[in-house]
Amino acid sequence: MSLVSLTGAALALSASACGGKKASTGDDGGDGKKTVKVGLAYDIGGRGDKSFNDAAFAGLEKAKKDLNVEIKDIEATKGESDNDKVQRLDLLAKSGYNPVIAVGYAYAGPLGKVATQYPKTKFAIVDDSSVKGANVTNLIFAEEQGSFLVGAAAAEKSKAGKIGFIGGVDTPLIKKFEAGYVAGAKKAKPNVKIDIKYISRGTDFSGFTDPAKGKTVAEGQFDAGADVIYHAAGLSGVGLFQAAVAQKKYAIGVDSDQYQTAEAAQKPYILTSMLKRVDTAVFQFVENVGKNTVQAGPVTFDLKNDGIGYSTANSTEIKPLEAKINEYKQQIIDGKITVPTK
């Protein structure tokens, strides 16, 4: 990819901005302005998951287009070690990429090590607040709030009085999705039954990358009587959509608006998606670095600042439910409803 110099002084970085050991200062294109080089390291599943990682890439692409920056994104590999993540982040930083964005809480330990070695490089990590540092921004989300809304939608839509939840891995983060979903469903229909399943557990993260297992779990829930299922399972959620078509029942997507990227046959059965605006978080972080207004520490995206939401793309199915969902949304924003995270 050729280097592109910035069009605005607000996004010009000084030669020292890429600082740290062996860090490149970036090409100035002959006009005295430094090229902002944005590096991004994906979580397991990477581009093409039509969910979490693709949302991050959308934000990166928007930064490339709107802010005229150079971008570099690097995939993770299945079963990799923390040392692999350290090397990936180190490679970006020492190559002059500044800022560098780590997608996913699995980068917490590796980023903690690398950020201290490059004190003049700005880092961000998505979904983790444990990493501290003057050059680290934590991009975190109120996933439970959006999950509450789609939980209410699922309960309202269900004719069977039974709905499902599929988590990729039983991590504390995915438990937030589950907690919000259950709370929203119970708020809408106190007697609704909720079938909760996880594809993998503990340190086995394959539950985020296995559509075949996602389909098998979804088929079991549909066969057991659920007629709406919400997934927080990354690429494995594709299997849920396949099962929904076969059973002619409803699925709820996550992170991205999965109605937009679904196959044509699947679209009628995708009731909505819980929108986690990782794209917005990535873009705003890059923009703020360029403006020199970036903040270290946690930056939270929730319903109040439109960092969380739900999709209305399948208007035929979701429109009859919007008034009730939006009522809950406003109550959460106003503090009248506190959504649990556990």
Side-chain angles (χ1 to χ4, degrees):
M1 185 182 297
S2 61
L3 296 181
V4 183
S5 58
L6 296 173
T7 57
L11 285 168
L13 295 182
S14 66
S16 64
C18 292
K21 65 176 186 180
K22 301 181 182 178
S24 163
T25 57
D27 190 353
D28 66 9
D31 61 3
K33 297 175 182 177
K34 298 300 173 185
T35 301
V36 171
K37 299 167 65 178
V38 184
L40 184 142
Y42 289 113
D43 199 0
I44 298 299
R47 281 176 57 185
D49 68 354
K50 301 181 180 180
S51 184
F52 180 61
N53 287 286
D54 277 358
F57 179 68
L60 193 64
E61 281 281 272
K62 180 174 172 61
K64 176 185 175 183
K65 177 177 180 291
D66 293 0
L67 305 179
N68 203 23
V69 299
E70 180 191 354
I71 64 173
K72 173 74 172 178
D73 55 334
I74 306 180
E75 297 282 355
T77 57
K78 190 174 182 179
E80 69 179 20
S81 67
D82 275 3
N83 189 54
D84 293 321
K85 293 181 174 64
V86 168
Q87 292 181 18
R88 186 175 303 122
L89 296 175
D90 183 77
L91 175 63
L92 288 169
K94 75 182 179 184
S95 300
Y97 288 90
N98 183 13
V100 173
I101 302 160
V103 182
Y105 59 82
Y107 280 98
L111 179 59
K113 295 177 181 179
V114 175
T116 59
Q117 299 178 44
Y118 297 91
K120 293 182 180 179
T121 298
K122 301 296 186 184
F123 293 89
I125 182 167
V126 179
D127 281 348
D128 176 82
S129 59
S130 68
V131 184
K132 310 295 183 184
N135 61 335
V136 177
T137 300
N138 312 89
L139 306 175
I140 58 178
F141 297 82
E143 296 95 349
E144 72 280 0
Q145 293 183 355
S147 297
F148 183 101
L149 299 185
V150 300
E156 292 283 354
K157 188 67 177 178
S158 176
K159 294 181 179 178
K162 186 175 183 179
I163 61 177
F165 172 82
I166 299 175
V169 187
D170 62 340
T171 64
L173 175 64
I174 303 303
K175 290 288 187 178
K176 286 177 65 181
F177 290 81
E178 176 193 332
Y181 182 69
V182 170
K186 292 290 187 180
K187 180 69 174 179
K189 296 286 180 66
N191 295 324
V192 69
K193 295 180 180 178
I194 307 167
D195 186 1
I196 298 167
K197 294 287 191 301
Y198 282 86
I199 299 173
S200 65
R201 295 182 177 274
T203 58
D204 177 4
F205 286 89
S206 65
F208 290 128
T209 58
D210 197 331
K213 285 186 179 178
K215 182 179 181 182
T216 298
V217 173
E219 287 172 340
Q221 290 182 314
F222 284 137
D223 288 343
D227 55 0
V228 186
I229 300 175
Y230 171 43
H231 88 89
L235 184 61
S236 299
V238 173
L240 165 61
F241 301 150
Q242 294 168 348
V245 172
Q247 299 262 5
K248 292 183 168 49
K249 295 179 180 178
Y250 292 103
I252 296 176
V254 75
D255 296 337
S256 301
D257 185 350
Q258 297 199 282
Y259 177 90
Q260 303 293 353
T261 54
E263 297 176 5
Q266 296 170 355
K267 287 180 182 288
Y269 302 101
I270 299 179
L271 176 62
T272 183
S273 295
M274 194 284 281
L275 302 180
K276 178 176 173 178
R277 302 306 303 268
V278 178
D279 56 339
T280 298
V282 167
F283 176 81
Q284 287 185 1
F285 171 71
V286 174
E287 184 178 46
N288 289 340
V289 169
K291 291 178 179 178
N292 201 30
T293 59
V294 70
Q295 299 177 5
V299 178
T300 301
F301 296 84
D302 57 16
L303 288 178
K304 188 174 293 186
N305 59 20
D306 291 324
I308 291 289
Y310 72 100
S311 167
T312 59
N314 190 353
S315 58
T316 300
E317 301 297 338
I318 199 67
K319 191 172 182 60
L321 310 178
E322 282 189 62
K324 178 61 71 174
I325 297 171
N326 290 337
E327 180 182 333
Y328 290 140
K329 176 181 177 179
Q330 193 59 51
Q331 288 179 19
I332 293 170
I333 291 172
D334 293 342
K336 295 178 180 178
I337 294 177
T338 300
V339 185
T341 58
K342 296 181 180 179

